[in-house]
Amino acid sequence: MKINFKIKEKIKNLTFLFICLFIFLSQINSPILKALPMDTYQSELVTEELRLKIPSEFKKIWLQAEKEVWEPWLSIQEGFLGRQIFWNKEKEEALILVNWENKKLWKSISMNEVNEIQEKFEENVKTSLNINFNPFQLIYEGELIKQG
């Protein structure tokens, strides 16, 4: 009788385990799992996306600094394909889309070098506006991968 109870208890535990396992496995969505790793896009065209807060009164200075500092630097970077700059008057936001030959070339640029150029950009702006802070706030940065 005691052995019979232990067997029934083990069957009950195994059944519970199989039910839990079934529920867990049925929740897995394999297309999502396959889409997660972005390493497969290392050799495909990628667009860097930057959103900035640009107050209306500083728009002209911002565009001038972009042209004087970022454009010359970007133009000599390996893999740089071009960029587009948009400005939304109502939101006072800028959208900068920078196209790169691939993510590997884009990400091979050292953060130290990017930070140096950003410092030059900010100094240019501060000098032009005669202020001691950068009035342009980075809102978002990300990447876009061209789809089929």
PDB file of all heavy atoms in Angstrom, residues 86-99:
ATOM      1  N   PHE A  86      16.599  66.505 -40.705  1.00  0.00           N
ATOM      2  CA  PHE A  86      15.225  66.997 -40.702  1.00  0.00           C
ATOM      3  C   PHE A  86      15.005  67.790 -39.421  1.00  0.00           C
ATOM      4  O   PHE A  86      15.622  67.515 -38.400  1.00  0.00           O
ATOM      5  CB  PHE A  86      14.231  65.827 -40.744  1.00  0.00           C
ATOM      6  CG  PHE A  86      14.426  64.916 -41.918  1.00  0.00           C
ATOM      7  CD1 PHE A  86      15.262  63.806 -41.823  1.00  0.00           C
ATOM      8  CD2 PHE A  86      13.783  65.159 -43.118  1.00  0.00           C
ATOM      9  CE1 PHE A  86      15.440  62.954 -42.900  1.00  0.00           C
ATOM     10  CE2 PHE A  86      13.960  64.315 -44.204  1.00  0.00           C
ATOM     11  CZ  PHE A  86      14.790  63.211 -44.092  1.00  0.00           C
ATOM     12  N   TRP A  87      14.096  68.760 -39.486  1.00  0.00           N
ATOM     13  CA  TRP A  87      13.762  69.534 -38.293  1.00  0.00           C
ATOM     14  C   TRP A  87      12.264  69.735 -38.231  1.00  0.00           C
ATOM     15  O   TRP A  87      11.633  70.146 -39.210  1.00  0.00           O
ATOM     16  CB  TRP A  87      14.479  70.888 -38.308  1.00  0.00           C
ATOM     17  CG  TRP A  87      14.325  71.660 -37.045  1.00  0.00           C
ATOM     18  CD1 TRP A  87      14.862  71.374 -35.828  1.00  0.00           C
ATOM     19  CD2 TRP A  87      13.574  72.863 -36.869  1.00  0.00           C
ATOM     20  NE1 TRP A  87      14.499  72.327 -34.903  1.00  0.00           N
ATOM     21  CE2 TRP A  87      13.700  73.253 -35.513  1.00  0.00           C
ATOM     22  CE3 TRP A  87      12.807  73.651 -37.712  1.00  0.00           C
ATOM     23  CZ2 TRP A  87      13.099  74.388 -35.004  1.00  0.00           C
ATOM     24  CZ3 TRP A  87      12.200  74.781 -37.205  1.00  0.00           C
ATOM     25  CH2 TRP A  87      12.363  75.141 -35.860  1.00  0.00           C
ATOM     26  N   ASN A  88      11.687  69.449 -37.076  1.00  0.00           N
ATOM     27  CA  ASN A  88      10.250  69.611 -36.849  1.00  0.00           C
ATOM     28  C   ASN A  88      10.043  70.901 -36.061  1.00  0.00           C
ATOM     29  O   ASN A  88      10.418  70.971 -34.882  1.00  0.00           O
ATOM     30  CB  ASN A  88       9.716  68.400 -36.081  1.00  0.00           C
ATOM     31  CG  ASN A  88       8.231  68.475 -35.838  1.00  0.00           C
ATOM     32  OD1 ASN A  88       7.691  69.506 -35.462  1.00  0.00           O
ATOM     33  ND2 ASN A  88       7.560  67.354 -36.032  1.00  0.00           N
ATOM     34  N   LYS A  89       9.452  71.890 -36.714  1.00  0.00           N
ATOM     35  CA  LYS A  89       9.266  73.203 -36.099  1.00  0.00           C
ATOM     36  C   LYS A  89       8.362  73.143 -34.871  1.00  0.00           C
ATOM     37  O   LYS A  89       8.646  73.778 -33.860  1.00  0.00           O
ATOM     38  CB  LYS A  89       8.683  74.179 -37.131  1.00  0.00           C
ATOM     39  CG  LYS A  89       8.541  75.587 -36.634  1.00  0.00           C
ATOM     40  CD  LYS A  89       8.031  76.508 -37.732  1.00  0.00           C
ATOM     41  CE  LYS A  89       7.944  77.926 -37.241  1.00  0.00           C
ATOM     42  NZ  LYS A  89       7.551  78.865 -38.288  1.00  0.00           N
ATOM     43  N   GLU A  90       7.264  72.380 -34.961  1.00  0.00           N
ATOM     44  CA  GLU A  90       6.309  72.297 -33.846  1.00  0.00           C
ATOM     45  C   GLU A  90       6.936  71.680 -32.596  1.00  0.00           C
ATOM     46  O   GLU A  90       6.748  72.171 -31.488  1.00  0.00           O
ATOM     47  CB  GLU A  90       5.077  71.489 -34.252  1.00  0.00           C
ATOM     48  CG  GLU A  90       4.191  72.188 -35.252  1.00  0.00           C
ATOM     49  CD  GLU A  90       3.034  71.319 -35.713  1.00  0.00           C
ATOM     50  OE1 GLU A  90       2.708  70.330 -35.029  1.00  0.00           O
ATOM     51  OE2 GLU A  90       2.461  71.648 -36.763  1.00  0.00           O
ATOM     52  N   LYS A  91       7.664  70.602 -32.770  1.00  0.00           N
ATOM     53  CA  LYS A  91       8.282  69.901 -31.630  1.00  0.00           C
ATOM     54  C   LYS A  91       9.653  70.464 -31.273  1.00  0.00           C
ATOM     55  O   LYS A  91      10.204  70.124 -30.229  1.00  0.00           O
ATOM     56  CB  LYS A  91       8.447  68.412 -31.944  1.00  0.00           C
ATOM     57  CG  LYS A  91       7.157  67.660 -32.046  1.00  0.00           C
ATOM     58  CD  LYS A  91       7.459  66.186 -32.285  1.00  0.00           C
ATOM     59  CE  LYS A  91       6.211  65.352 -32.332  1.00  0.00           C
ATOM     60  NZ  LYS A  91       6.517  63.929 -32.522  1.00  0.00           N
ATOM     61  N   GLU A  92      10.205  71.277 -32.178  1.00  0.00           N
ATOM     62  CA  GLU A  92      11.573  71.779 -32.039  1.00  0.00           C
ATOM     63  C   GLU A  92      12.535  70.612 -31.850  1.00  0.00           C
ATOM     64  O   GLU A  92      13.378  70.592 -30.957  1.00  0.00           O
ATOM     65  CB  GLU A  92      11.691  72.790 -30.897  1.00  0.00           C
ATOM     66  CG  GLU A  92      10.913  74.066 -31.164  1.00  0.00           C
ATOM     67  CD  GLU A  92      11.190  75.153 -30.152  1.00  0.00           C
ATOM     68  OE1 GLU A  92      11.384  74.846 -28.962  1.00  0.00           O
ATOM     69  OE2 GLU A  92      11.211  76.333 -30.552  1.00  0.00           O
ATOM     70  N   GLU A  93      12.376  69.628 -32.732  1.00  0.00           N
ATOM     71  CA  GLU A  93      13.225  68.435 -32.699  1.00  0.00           C
ATOM     72  C   GLU A  93      13.873  68.217 -34.057  1.00  0.00           C
ATOM     73  O   GLU A  93      13.268  68.487 -35.091  1.00  0.00           O
ATOM     74  CB  GLU A  93      12.395  67.180 -32.373  1.00  0.00           C
ATOM     75  CG  GLU A  93      12.019  67.046 -30.938  1.00  0.00           C
ATOM     76  CD  GLU A  93      11.284  65.751 -30.654  1.00  0.00           C
ATOM     77  OE1 GLU A  93      11.261  64.826 -31.499  1.00  0.00           O
ATOM     78  OE2 GLU A  93      10.713  65.671 -29.557  1.00  0.00           O
ATOM     79  N   ALA A  94      15.084  67.687 -33.989  1.00  0.00           N
ATOM     80  CA  ALA A  94      15.795  67.336 -35.209  1.00  0.00           C
ATOM     81  C   ALA A  94      15.899  65.825 -35.301  1.00  0.00           C
ATOM     82  O   ALA A  94      15.982  65.125 -34.288  1.00  0.00           O
ATOM     83  CB  ALA A  94      17.199  67.941 -35.194  1.00  0.00           C
ATOM     84  N   LEU A  95      15.881  65.349 -36.519  1.00  0.00           N
ATOM     85  CA  LEU A  95      16.119  63.941 -36.817  1.00  0.00           C
ATOM     86  C   LEU A  95      17.291  63.896 -37.773  1.00  0.00           C
ATOM     87  O   LEU A  95      17.263  64.538 -38.832  1.00  0.00           O
ATOM     88  CB  LEU A  95      14.879  63.300 -37.454  1.00  0.00           C
ATOM     89  CG  LEU A  95      15.069  61.905 -38.054  1.00  0.00           C
ATOM     90  CD1 LEU A  95      15.429  60.895 -36.957  1.00  0.00           C
ATOM     91  CD2 LEU A  95      13.829  61.475 -38.803  1.00  0.00           C
ATOM     92  N   ILE A  96      18.323  63.169 -37.384  1.00  0.00           N
ATOM     93  CA  ILE A  96      19.490  63.007 -38.249  1.00  0.00           C
ATOM     94  C   ILE A  96      19.592  61.525 -38.577  1.00  0.00           C
ATOM     95  O   ILE A  96      19.639  60.681 -37.676  1.00  0.00           O
ATOM     96  CB  ILE A  96      20.786  63.491 -37.559  1.00  0.00           C
ATOM     97  CG1 ILE A  96      20.652  64.949 -37.133  1.00  0.00           C
ATOM     98  CG2 ILE A  96      21.987  63.287 -38.486  1.00  0.00           C
ATOM     99  CD1 ILE A  96      21.802  65.457 -36.291  1.00  0.00           C
ATOM    100  N   LEU A  97      19.614  61.223 -39.868  1.00  0.00           N
ATOM    101  CA  LEU A  97      19.763  59.850 -40.340  1.00  0.00           C
ATOM    102  C   LEU A  97      21.110  59.743 -41.050  1.00  0.00           C
ATOM    103  O   LEU A  97      21.343  60.428 -42.049  1.00  0.00           O
ATOM    104  CB  LEU A  97      18.629  59.476 -41.296  1.00  0.00           C
ATOM    105  CG  LEU A  97      17.215  59.558 -40.720  1.00  0.00           C
ATOM    106  CD1 LEU A  97      16.173  59.311 -41.804  1.00  0.00           C
ATOM    107  CD2 LEU A  97      17.045  58.577 -39.571  1.00  0.00           C
ATOM    108  N   VAL A  98      22.000  58.925 -40.497  1.00  0.00           N
ATOM    109  CA  VAL A  98      23.336  58.753 -41.060  1.00  0.00           C
ATOM    110  C   VAL A  98      23.420  57.341 -41.624  1.00  0.00           C
ATOM    111  O   VAL A  98      23.244  56.364 -40.895  1.00  0.00           O
ATOM    112  CB  VAL A  98      24.435  58.960 -39.989  1.00  0.00           C
ATOM    113  CG1 VAL A  98      25.805  58.874 -40.622  1.00  0.00           C
ATOM    114  CG2 VAL A  98      24.241  60.288 -39.268  1.00  0.00           C
ATOM    115  N   ASN A  99      23.674  57.248 -42.927  1.00  0.00           N
ATOM    116  CA  ASN A  99      23.752  55.945 -43.587  1.00  0.00           C
ATOM    117  C   ASN A  99      25.180  55.424 -43.608  1.00  0.00           C
ATOM    118  O   ASN A  99      26.109  56.164 -43.962  1.00  0.00           O
ATOM    119  CB  ASN A  99      23.215  56.042 -45.019  1.00  0.00           C
ATOM    120  CG  ASN A  99      21.742  56.377 -45.039  1.00  0.00           C
ATOM    121  OD1 ASN A  99      20.959  55.793 -44.317  1.00  0.00           O
ATOM    122  ND2 ASN A  99      21.378  57.340 -45.865  1.00  0.00           N
TER     123      ASN A  99
END
